[in-house]
Amino acid sequence: MKQFIRKDLQGITPYSSARDEFKGEAGIWLDANENASVTAWNRYPDPLQGKLKQTISELKNIPVENLFLGNGSDEVLDLLLRLTCTPFQDTIAFFDPSYGMYDVLARINGLSTKRIPLNERFEVDWSQLSEAIAGTRALIICNPNNPTGNLFSQEAICAVLRTYQGVVIVDEAYIDFSEQSSMSKLVNEFPNLVVVQTLSKAYGMAGLRVGMAIANIEWIAALNSIKPPYNLSSLVQETAVNLIQSTDWKAVITDIITERNRLFEALSQQKGVVEVFPSETNFILFRVEDATRLYRSLADAGVVVRNRSSQYNCNNTLRVTIGSEAENTLFLTLIKQFYND
Ligand SMILES: *Cc1c(COP(=O)(O)O)cnc(C)c1O
């Protein structure tokens, strides 16, 4: 696994915080230059987020030792690229269209990019892929994909894992809305697989910023060795634990999927809508006759969607997030009005 780590970071000595060096019950903490005056937040947070990891482990049925937590999965992805790729030397590959942050993260890490074009159905030509990604250091696969909503075959990804020389980062931000199971069960089978998930989408905590990497224990140790020591605040850790434990997440997710299916059917019947792309996520990409005018009209009525028309193969498309039942109904009513239907 060491071969995937940037040469100059192999064996780096991590910053050792006061709370790394003493664990246990002490009455008096004079080790971290905190302010002893009593505010609720005067102490540094748990650097390795033990309680939150335990709670996520139970929620997702993933062993604690295979979890790494970041300040949103955007931080996790950033740390993964920093850990594996050498600036001004390496190239990362990702599909096009996909999540816009991959390109930004490549740039801020000084990396070149290789875009793998998806076809008009947003599928990959797997037979050409290994040639296209040869020589790249990492491949990021968003599965299900944003902004298109479709799934890629797990078998095809496994075939890539077997032959590819670099690391495959599978970004499963939307996996909880999908029929397919997570690839996290395979992290001990493939040393070059890292799965990324988040509490931002299915678990309603985008404002808390909790993302995770799921990987074998060597990856987790390597990520811990380069992360900012206190990357998740105490407030966030406590709040996330409470929310995970106090909510019926299966029911929440089922309701979103029910609304997604209703929206899909309604859009498919709607005059003016040219094409609705099947979705395994909490959003739907659809093509209309004039995306820019519809976008404007919805926005004027106070409903903001995402215009994805400038993305590759996405001419005249909008991406709508599945909202509450009332929000979705209003959205559908506005489209009906727009097309005088
Ligand atoms: C929203 C999103 C993320 C970002 O998640 P955070 O955990 O909120 O940073 C990552 N990947 C994809 C594909 C997303 O759509």
Side-chain angles (χ1 to χ4, degrees), residues 72-74 77 99 102 142 146 171 173-174 198 200-201 209-211:
S73 48
D74 286 340
L77 291 165
Y99 183 42
Y102 304 149
C142 185
N146 178 6
D171 182 349
Y174 300 96
T198 179
S200 295
K201 308 287 161 59
R209 315 304 302 129
V210 182

Side-chain angles (χ1 to χ4, degrees), residues 60 72-73 172-173 176 196-203 210-212:
K60 292 187 160 278
S73 48
E172 294 187 335
D176 300 275
V196 174
Q197 293 187 8
T198 179
L199 298 187
S200 295
K201 308 287 161 59
Y203 301 93
V210 182
M212 66 199 87

